[in-house]
Amino acid sequence: MSYAYLFKYIIIGDTGVGKSCLLLQFTDKRFQPIHDLTIGVEFGARMITIDGKQIKLQIWDTAGQEAFRSITRSYYRGAAGALLVYDITRRETFEHLTTWLEDARQHSNSNMVIMLIGNKSDLESRRDVKKEEGETFAREHNLIFMETSAKTAANVEEAFINTAKEIYEKIQEGVFDINNEANGIKIGPQHSPTNPNLPPGSQGANQSGGCC
Amino acid sequence: MNFFSSGLKSVLGTQEAAQQPSGAETVERLVERVLSSTLLEDRRDACRALKSLSRKYRVEVGAHGMSAFTYVLQTDYADCEIVGYALDALCNITSDEDFDEEEWQDTNYKPGSNLGAQFTEIFIKQPDNVGLVLSFLEEYDFRVRWPAVKLLKSLLSSKPKEVQDIVLVSPMGVSKLMDLLSDSREVIRNDALLLLLQLTKGNANIQKIVAFENAFDRLFDVINDEGYADGDIVVEDCLLLMLNLLKNNVSNQNFFKEGSYIQRLAPMFNILNDDELDVGLTPQKVSNINAVLQIIRTLVSPANPGQATASCQKALRATGIVEKLCSILMAGGVPVDVLTETIITVAEVIRGNLSNQEYFASVMAPSNPPKEAIVVLLMSMVNERQPFFLRCAVLYSFQCYLYRNEMGQTKLIQTLLPSTSEQPSVTAGQLLCGGLFSHDVLSHWLSSVALSHALIENPAAKESMLRVLLTPVSSHTPLSLLHHITLLLQQSNKVQSKLGLLILLATWLSHCPPAIRHFLSIDTSISYLTTQAGATEHDDNEELVQGLCAFIMGICTHFNDDSVPSFSKENLRQLINKRVGLEVFLDKLNEVSRHEMYSRAVKHPNIRVNSPNDLLLDHEFCKLFKALEGLVMKAVTVSATDLTNGPSENIEQYKNLIREQDKRITELSMHYEALHAQNVEQAAKIQELTDQNLILKAQLSTTSAASQINQGSPHGINVVQEKDQTIARLEEELKNLRLHLENRPLSAAESQAVDSEVIYLKSQVQALQQTERELMELRKDQEDLLELVADQEREIELLKSQLRVNQEKEEDQRQEEICPIKQEPFEPSPDREEKPQPENISEAQDKPQMISSDEVHPWLLLLSKEGDLAKDFESPLQAEYQRDLKSHESDSSSPAPTPELKFDSSPVILPPTTPLSTPTPPTQISGSSRSTPNIFSPVPLPSPKPPSTGPPSPGPVTVPLSALSGESDAPVGDFSNISNEPLEVTTLPTEPIAIPKSSAYSTYSWQATSNATEPVPLSQPNSSENSASIHSPPSSTISPPRQANNQECRCSFRSVALHQGLADSPQVHLHCRPAAMKVSSNRKKPLLQPLSPR
């Protein structure tokens, strides 16, 4: 299983918004209506293709409960992408987005791509948050936005893949320092850092990473 | 101490020796200085002094100085030196070990009072303190970073849980620690490793964060730098850290697998070269390899979710690690503990994974001749000189090899049955059977349990194992393996061997009525069990034996097919009730699950015992026990009168009723169909008649048009009369039908379906009645027409008379009349019937029928010979009905529908007399035999040829078991001691197949000598006292008529008995009958090729 790039994702958001279900739908293509509460974090992985390149996604699905908040913070730094999820049938999960976003911005590296996701779009009749509101919030905070349904799988693939595309573009633009693993990006075994495929900008954008 | 005193001097100034202050005073003064000095230099010096005192005056420094140190850490964080002193001092006072120079005199504390933990508690009471220390990890300066790491280590070892929790919630805490792994200063990296080891112990959340922080990558980098398995203890630490991260952490295991880290483990096994193995591995290397094996075991642990384990097993195979593990298994000079661990690892890697199991089976030991690895392993299992843990590990590997591996199980049992190819080497099955008869109690247990694993969830294997016959040399008649086990059970006086045999028995008998039948027909079997189950006293662990005996009795009851009349279900139940007592019986059963070893064995498939004496129960057996316990209890307690028989009888009654009703319904529906067909035809007839009427009407009108010359039509009346008759017939028919319908047996009342059919029929009949009424009307019409015809006739008469008067006058007119007659034949209408030519009348009478003959004919036929036709009609229906009925019967009750169907489709096979409904045993179709010998018809016995004269019968061939076991090239220990008992294998195929006469009887004998590696023909079987006796038994003892056409081959192995007297050693024959299915494909070949004709 060789890959060109490896991206680390985290999924964050209030408890019960369907984070684990989104991951399960994405990795296993199935939906489990009754899901145990996530303890700490759970791991999932899948390979996708962008621009003809194999990209491995390593996804850490975090616990939404307040009690685990401090634990999940440890995952922000090393992630290249985050899916910030709320539940369109529960307004309060939408209102907590600001807190989540602050948290994420504070602990993550500044280039982390955040995708805002309004989940449970299949429950149109119980909708509590308008799509426009989500769009507005996303625009204001410079996020990508999408409504998904982990149950029907609508937009689930797209959510993960679009995030990956965004990260990929940032790499191409040289925004990410791909040699610093703290950014949540790893180059595949056969792609050495001096690979000619890499944009020249990425070398220049190198920063001295970490402590040593 | 020089340094210490000079430090003191520099801080306190010179003092006289007499006025030397006590340690506590000094510490107090120093603490004050740290807290109050304005100059950094002073604080630094005081801090340095405190650090120096912190070992000797640990209590004082800890009690007074703690606040000073935290103050320093908070305020002077920029000065690396003072921070370093503070951290060092803290490190000392919180350390969990006691220092040699520690002063205890003035304190209330004694060595070992766990001071470190108390000070740690004080320190971490303020969680910010830990955060502070963590933040110093970011400082690159060695003077700060290293003591910070050490302090954290010391805090963790004193209060692991609390510190873990604090680190977990301090942001970036773990990632800071992770960065230390890339520190170029080895001492820091190594201490960081140890720190992480402690930090990740038992905390899944930290484990996940550490993994998230690319721990595996960094660890593999370190391992790579250190040279993999050849590396020093750092490699071991890395591996242990990995193990920490993976143990009981499915998420991380998944990450490990998905991150392709498994393949990075592979180079760990690249290190075993021959030179090294000769010299022996260094202890460090042994530890490293053991750690890797532990990691692999964690990934494929049976406790993991099945899917996760399966994918890891696949990955291990794909990366070639399985091969490498197996090569370690077969390599020489591997230390026993590594070997044991490797065997267990291989076991878990192959467990339940068919392709890995197949690979394992294909591994050959590099001996000469090459032997299967499994055989070599089993040799060490039944060798009492091998270390106990190694033997257990082999059993575990064998058990994992057979786990969900039907093919492997079958293959093993095949080794007990004769095969087409010559197999001079020792097979797994022979080794295990040998183990059953060994003198070693542990071998008994291990072999029995190993054999039981060949039978788990494999009914076919259970049945084929019934065909295995063994015979001690001294006795004449071969006994089945099952019989032997029963005898061994009764002869043994060791709890462990008994338990092993009972486990094997229970596994064998469960879900296998043929085995139970066989078992029950052994004389003493049930009486032994009854005695055991009913015993009131027991020694240590004997309660398990009694419990298992009760369990087996229960199995015999539950799975009993009542084929042994004296021990039918009911009889056994009564036996338990009367001889054992229900209470006692259930008590004994409960003893088993209450036993400590039971709860231990049920937890994990691997055998985890510390001493051979604890080896009592087996995991798979405990699973079986758990599953069957309830059933057994029910089978025993439920009495015959209620539930078991009652409902089934009722059900049978209902079934019969339903069957009868079904039959009725099919019958009636067929009746209905026949009647319906008749109805349709009659309707058609009526339609025809109406048509005819119409035609007649039209005819009449034409006649009236041409009235003047018409001479009347008597045949018209005929037609009408005929129609009348027809109508009458139809009426009668209808009446009959109605009668028929009414007279139909009213049994249909039971089924509404039939009722509705009857209603439908009635409505049909009503429709018919309506048609009848129409017919009546038509008849009236006809009468009117007749009147009209009469009138016309009168007119015609009148016209005739007029005509006669005018005859002569109007000759031309007559000429004109003839012309239209001549033209008539061209008209298709039946007008010509009314032609005045009399000679045409009779012909014309037939005409109307002829015209419509196509349609009328069958109907008339039907009417005329209704009986016959109905028969013709019914016969195919009847046949169909009977087929329906048959298939119905076979659906509902027939136990063997498949063979019947086969007979149906190929009537050639079917003897005309064979009743279709009786279930035909499938064996008769294939012509193969079942296990019961009396199926076979006696066949004249070919006279057994003496071994010396018959060309195909070879002389005794000597195979040294010690050579087979590879004394010289055995990788582990010494196999030469295996199987001291001569094993005699005798094969008794019993299926009625054509066997070349020349090979009909042949005798083999392999005699073991110590050095020979190849089978060597020996002299006459009976010539040597020491050789295994050769068997050319008189046909009276061994060949009853049913074995007449059997081929009999016997092989006897004997190794030179080293430790036991030859006379004592029981000699064992393996009598085997090949599986019926197997043979049918090979029936042309002789089953055993003669080795070397004499």
Side-chain angles (χ1 to χ4, degrees), chain B residues 226-245:
Chain B
E226 298 289 327
Y228 289 100
D230 290 320
D232 57 10
I233 195 157
V234 176
V235 171
E236 191 187 353
D237 287 339
C238 286
L239 294 169
L240 290 179
L241 179 55
M242 277 190 206
L243 191 61
N244 262 0
L245 298 180

Side-chain angles (χ1 to χ4, degrees), chain B residues 775-823:
Chain B
L775 269 178
M776 293 291 282
E777 276 169 47
L778 283 173
R779 223 161 104 191
K780 236 184 254 171
D781 280 356
Q782 279 181 335
E783 275 166 24
D784 291 349
L785 283 172
L786 278 176
E787 274 174 85
L788 254 167
V789 170
D791 285 349
Q792 284 176 348
E793 266 179 318
R794 270 198 301 278
E795 276 180 335
I796 288 167
E797 280 300 315
L798 233 130
L799 283 170
K800 271 184 183 169
S801 59
Q802 280 178 356
L803 272 173
R804 268 182 224 116
V805 174
N806 298 329
Q807 208 171 10
E808 286 174 8
K809 285 181 188 175
E810 298 176 6
E811 275 179 348
D812 298 336
Q813 224 177 344
R814 203 175 152 196
Q815 288 271 321
E816 280 172 18
E817 273 190 63
I818 294 163
C819 281
I821 291 168
K822 275 186 180 170
Q823 283 161 2

Side-chain angles (χ1 to χ4, degrees), chain B residues 615-645:
Chain B
L615 211 53
L616 301 173
L617 293 176
D618 166 63
H619 174 75
E620 289 294 334
F621 169 75
C622 290
K623 264 166 65 184
L624 179 81
F625 186 85
K626 220 178 189 177
L628 293 183
E629 196 182 8
L631 286 178
V632 160
M633 286 189 181
K634 218 187 265 170
V636 170
T637 44
V638 166
S639 66
T641 43
D642 50 50
L643 286 170
T644 37
N645 279 345

Side-chain angles (χ1 to χ4, degrees), chain B residues 432-446:
Chain B
L432 293 179
C433 280
L436 287 182
F437 291 93
S438 104
H439 293 284
D440 177 28
V441 178
L442 203 57
S443 291
H444 275 173
W445 195 89
L446 294 168

Side-chain angles (χ1 to χ4, degrees), chain B residues 29-84:
Chain B
R29 215 172 292 173
L30 285 170
V31 167
E32 209 182 300
R33 188 153 295 208
V34 169
L35 291 171
S36 58
S37 288
T38 47
L39 278 177
L40 178 64
E41 301 266 306
D42 291 346
R43 293 201 299 273
R44 196 189 287 152
D45 285 343
C47 221
R48 186 197 293 129
L50 276 176
K51 178 205 137 190
S52 317
L53 290 168
S54 61
R55 284 169 90 98
K56 191 170 183 188
Y57 299 101
R58 183 167 164 178
V59 180
E60 289 82 356
V61 175
H64 300 107
M66 190 79 84
S67 54
F69 295 133
T70 49
Y71 172 77
V72 165
L73 294 183
Q74 281 161 1
T75 53
D76 292 328
Y77 54 85
D79 184 65
C80 290
E81 200 179 344
I82 191 171
V83 169

Side-chain angles (χ1 to χ4, degrees), chain B residues 102-278:
Chain B
E102 232 166 298
E103 289 268 355
W104 299 99
Q105 297 151 3
D106 302 332
T107 62
N108 301 324
Y109 297 100
K110 294 279 165 290
S113 56
N114 210 2
L115 267 178
Q118 295 183 32
F119 285 127
T120 303
E121 211 177 324
I122 296 167
F123 185 74
I124 63 173
K125 212 169 248 170
Q126 202 63 18
D128 289 349
N129 288 344
V130 181
L132 218 51
V133 180
L134 281 172
S135 71
F136 285 117
L137 292 175
E138 283 176 282
E139 174 57 57
Y140 184 69
D141 193 316
F142 185 78
R143 286 171 299 175
V144 176
R145 192 179 266 196
W146 195 40
V149 173
K150 284 196 295 181
L151 175 57
L152 282 173
K153 234 171 71 187
S154 144
L155 295 175
L156 264 170
S157 54
S158 301
K159 288 276 165 197
K161 195 100 195 61
E162 291 80 352
V163 179
Q164 278 177 347
D165 287 344
I166 295 170
V167 172
L168 191 55
V169 296
S170 44
M172 319 300 295
V174 176
S175 33
K176 281 172 200 155
L177 286 170
M178 292 307 298
D179 291 338
L180 299 178
L181 286 183
S182 351
D183 201 312
S184 54
R185 293 158 296 192
E186 284 194 4
V187 65
I188 290 183
R189 185 197 68 188
N190 297 352
D191 270 344
L193 260 178
L194 295 175
L195 174 60
L196 283 169
L197 260 177
Q198 286 174 323
L199 191 68
T200 52
K201 208 165 266 173
N203 189 320
N205 281 322
I206 293 185
Q207 288 163 5
K208 287 178 190 171
I209 297 176
V210 170
F212 177 80
E213 296 283 352
N214 299 317
F216 293 123
D217 275 323
R218 293 179 197 212
L219 293 174
F220 274 116
D221 289 345
V222 175
I223 292 173
N224 190 25
D225 291 345
E226 298 289 327
Y228 289 100
D230 290 320
D232 57 10
I233 195 157
V234 176
V235 171
E236 191 187 353
D237 287 339
C238 286
L239 294 169
L240 290 179
L241 179 55
M242 277 190 206
L243 191 61
N244 262 0
L245 298 180
L246 295 172
K247 211 160 214 168
N248 302 322
N249 194 328
V250 178
S251 177
N252 272 0
Q253 288 169 9
N254 191 12
F255 176 54
F256 193 83
K257 187 191 71 207
E258 290 289 341
S260 320
Y261 293 113
I262 290 181
Q263 64 196 48
R264 296 189 70 176
L265 281 175
M268 287 299 295
F269 298 102
N270 283 347
I271 33 67
L272 291 172
N273 48 53
D274 294 335
D275 303 344
E276 207 168 20
L277 287 172
D278 290 342

Side-chain angles (χ1 to χ4, degrees), chain B residues 400-637:
Chain B
C400 290
Y401 163 63
L402 294 178
Y403 182 71
R404 296 198 182 150
N405 181 3
E406 221 164 278
M407 235 164 63
Q409 290 174 324
T410 314
K411 240 172 88 183
L412 171 74
I413 294 185
Q414 286 300 315
T415 62
L416 288 169
L417 302 167
S419 62
T420 47
S421 60
E422 47 188 270
Q423 282 189 317
S425 65
V426 181
T427 65
Q430 289 166 359
L431 279 172
L432 293 179
C433 280
L436 287 182
F437 291 93
S438 104
H439 293 284
D440 177 28
V441 178
L442 203 57
S443 291
H444 275 173
W445 195 89
L446 294 168
S447 308
S448 334
V449 171
L451 272 177
S452 82
H453 284 289
L455 302 175
I456 287 166
E457 284 171 13
N458 191 341
K462 287 175 188 175
E463 291 199 20
S464 24
M465 194 125 115
L466 282 176
R467 289 194 285 273
V468 177
L469 299 182
L470 305 157
T471 185
V473 161
S474 50
S475 84
H476 297 298
T477 44
L479 292 177
S480 68
L481 179 59
L482 189 62
H483 201 148
H484 275 292
I485 289 169
T486 320
L487 292 179
L488 281 171
L489 185 63
Q490 294 168 29
Q491 288 155 7
S492 163
N493 50 7
K494 294 282 196 329
V495 171
Q496 201 170 23
S497 352
K498 278 190 200 169
L499 282 176
L501 294 166
L502 286 169
I503 286 171
L504 174 55
L505 262 183
T507 315
W508 197 344
L509 298 182
S510 59
H511 303 281
C512 186
I516 290 177
R517 182 168 55 228
H518 197 110
F519 177 71
L520 291 177
S521 50
I522 298 170
D523 286 340
T524 49
S525 56
I526 279 295
S527 61
Y528 175 77
L529 293 182
T530 321
T531 331
Q532 285 290 322
T536 46
E537 289 171 5
H538 56 76
D539 296 341
D540 259 3
N541 292 331
E542 211 163 71
E543 71 266 27
L544 274 180
V545 174
Q546 295 166 1
L548 292 203
C549 284
F551 182 55
I552 290 173
M553 280 189 91
I555 287 177
C556 289
T557 314
H558 182 79
F559 296 103
N560 198 327
D561 59 356
D562 289 337
S563 51
V564 179
S566 52
F567 292 116
S568 66
K569 252 184 195 182
E570 191 44 41
N571 285 353
L572 280 173
R573 230 175 258 137
Q574 279 174 4
L575 191 73
I576 290 167
N577 267 310
K578 285 177 185 155
R579 295 281 302 281
V580 183
L582 204 57
E583 288 297 309
V584 178
F585 183 87
L586 296 180
D587 234 37
K588 298 276 177 205
L589 270 185
N590 285 331
E591 291 274 13
V592 178
S593 47
R594 271 207 298 269
H595 199 273
E596 185 200 346
M597 283 304 149
Y598 178 85
S599 42
R600 237 201 264 184
V602 85
K603 264 186 211 144
H604 196 274
N606 193 6
I607 307 131
R608 286 176 172 166
V609 291
N610 301 321
S611 81
N613 295 333
D614 289 344
L615 211 53
L616 301 173
L617 293 176
D618 166 63
H619 174 75
E620 289 294 334
F621 169 75
C622 290
K623 264 166 65 184
L624 179 81
F625 186 85
K626 220 178 189 177
L628 293 183
E629 196 182 8
L631 286 178
V632 160
M633 286 189 181
K634 218 187 265 170
V636 170
T637 44

Side-chain angles (χ1 to χ4, degrees), chain B residues 709-727:
Chain B
I709 28 154
N710 262 342
Q711 302 184 357
S713 53
H715 52 272
I717 296 164
N718 271 354
V719 168
V720 171
Q721 276 170 349
E722 218 170 284
K723 278 181 188 165
D724 275 358
Q725 279 169 2
T726 316
I727 286 163

